[in-house]
């Protein structure tokens, strides 16, 4: 990325070397995006897991045995290496160490960072301690989660095309520079060889980065 920006705006190896320093910030942006994708994947898997637990409780399983039996069903559904499967296996192992089911669910909610898991943990603890019926409570929770998930998916679907257009628009300036270089060699020479030209290109780069930032913030729709 630093090389592309240096070529498009400066045509200078010195600029490339300087751009490598702020370009390291992209690692933080990528890490944040990667974390959000994993959290979304875990949220979808958790919704399926709660549905399986609700079915097992409805069939007469206790909460502890439902989690143990749910491990096998989740492994058949996702495979042994998926996040939710590893989490349920960990919960099963913790219960074998005499930790209560409320504790392992609360621990999962805390570690996962899922808002839905935190709410489910609170509802589960209240129902368990008060001696209430777990099956109707969990079934109602699953229904709410499915409705919320459907709304989120609709929002993502509507914004997906706009996000793709944003990515295309971010690439267009560089394609235009390549096109003009190919069709009119030397047309941009004054922008790379004079002090004033470099100042203008620096201003263009600042405007480009600002537009990328603003477009990202506009499309970053919070889904609570």
């Amino acid at each position: 990325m630093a090389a592309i920006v240096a070529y498009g705006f400066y045509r200078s190896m010195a600029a490339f070397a300087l751009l490598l320093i702020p370009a390291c910030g992209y690692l933080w942006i990528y890490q944040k995006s990667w974390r959000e994708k994993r959290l979304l994947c875990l949220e979808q898997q958790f919704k399926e897991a709660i549905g399986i637990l609700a079915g097992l409780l409805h069939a007469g399983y206790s909460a502890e045995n439902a989690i143990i039996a749910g491990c096998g069903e989740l492994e058949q559904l996702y495979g042994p290496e998926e996040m939710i499967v590893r989490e349920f296996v960990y919960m099963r192992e913790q219960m074998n160490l005499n930790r209560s089911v409320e504790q392992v669910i609360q621990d999962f909610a805390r570690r996962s960072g899922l808002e839905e898991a935190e709410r489910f943990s609170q509802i589960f603890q209240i129902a368990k301690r008060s001696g209430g019926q777990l099956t109707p409570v969990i079934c109602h929770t699953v229904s709410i989660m499915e409705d919320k998930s459907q709304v989120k998916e609709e929002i993502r679907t509507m914004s997906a095309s706009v996000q793709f257009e944003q990515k295309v628009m971010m690439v267009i300036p560089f394609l235009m520079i390549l096109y003009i270089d190919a069709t009119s060699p030397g047309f941009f020479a004054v922008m790379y060889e004079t002090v004033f030209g470099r100042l203008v290109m620096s201003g263009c780069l600042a405007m480009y980065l600002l537009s990328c930032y603003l477009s990202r913030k506009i499309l970053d729709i919070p889904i609570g």
Side-chain angles (χ1 to χ4, degrees):
M1 292 182 64
I4 292 173
V5 172
Y7 176 82
F9 290 92
Y10 295 105
R11 305 285 170 86
S12 168
M13 289 299 297
F16 168 66
L18 290 174
L19 286 171
L20 282 176
I21 299 174
C24 292
Y26 177 75
L27 296 176
W28 176 80
I29 297 174
Y30 175 79
Q31 185 182 42
K32 182 180 178 182
S33 176
W34 178 77
R35 190 186 305 117
E36 291 173 352
K37 290 179 180 178
R38 283 179 61 86
L39 196 62
L40 175 60
C41 180
L42 182 60
E43 178 184 335
Q44 295 172 343
Q45 293 177 359
F46 177 70
K47 183 190 70 173
E48 295 293 336
I50 297 303
I52 291 174
L53 286 181
L56 291 171
L57 289 171
H58 188 72
Y61 284 73
S62 66
E64 292 81 1
N65 291 332
I67 290 179
I68 294 173
C71 290
E73 295 195 24
L74 287 171
E75 186 172 348
Q76 292 180 359
L77 183 62
Y78 292 112
E81 298 301 323
E82 282 295 329
M83 293 179 287
I84 194 65
V85 178
R86 296 201 303 266
E87 290 294 342
F88 265 64
V89 170
Y90 179 75
M91 286 192 282
R92 181 183 63 190
E93 293 172 350
Q94 290 297 303
M95 287 191 297
N96 290 336
L97 297 176
N98 294 325
R99 294 192 67 187
S100 67
V101 64
E102 298 98 318
Q103 288 177 328
V104 297
I105 291 178
Q106 185 180 24
D107 184 49
F108 164 73
R110 177 182 56 79
R111 289 184 296 104
S112 67
L114 288 176
E115 183 180 352
E116 289 79 3
E118 183 65 32
R119 291 177 181 173
F120 175 77
S121 173
Q122 295 172 357
I123 293 171
F124 185 87
Q125 289 184 53
I126 293 172
K128 186 78 171 176
R129 292 175 182 176
S130 62
Q133 295 293 324
L134 282 176
T135 303
V137 172
I138 293 180
C139 288
H140 179 66
T141 304
V142 171
S143 177
I144 294 175
M145 290 177 61
E146 288 178 348
D147 292 340
K148 186 177 180 180
S149 177
Q150 184 178 1
V151 173
K152 288 182 178 181
E153 191 62 32
E154 289 177 356
I155 294 175
R156 293 190 187 99
T157 301
M158 289 187 293
S159 61
S161 60
V162 182
Q163 290 176 350
F164 178 76
E165 292 174 2
Q166 180 235 1
K167 293 178 182 179
V168 172
M169 293 299 295
M170 290 172 61
V171 177
I172 283 179
F174 298 98
L175 296 179
M176 292 177 61
I177 291 174
L178 291 176
Y179 174 76
I180 293 175
D181 279 343
T183 56
S184 302
F187 184 83
F188 281 142
V190 68
M191 306 302 294
Y192 302 118
E193 298 173 358
T194 65
V195 175
F196 180 75
R198 292 185 182 277
L199 290 175
V200 171
M201 294 303 287
S202 297
C204 292
L205 176 60
M207 292 295 295
Y208 173 78
L209 294 176
L210 178 61
S211 63
C212 291
Y213 172 77
L214 291 177
S215 63
R216 184 179 180 87
K217 296 296 290 185
I218 290 172
L219 294 175
D220 186 16
I221 302 174
I223 307 174

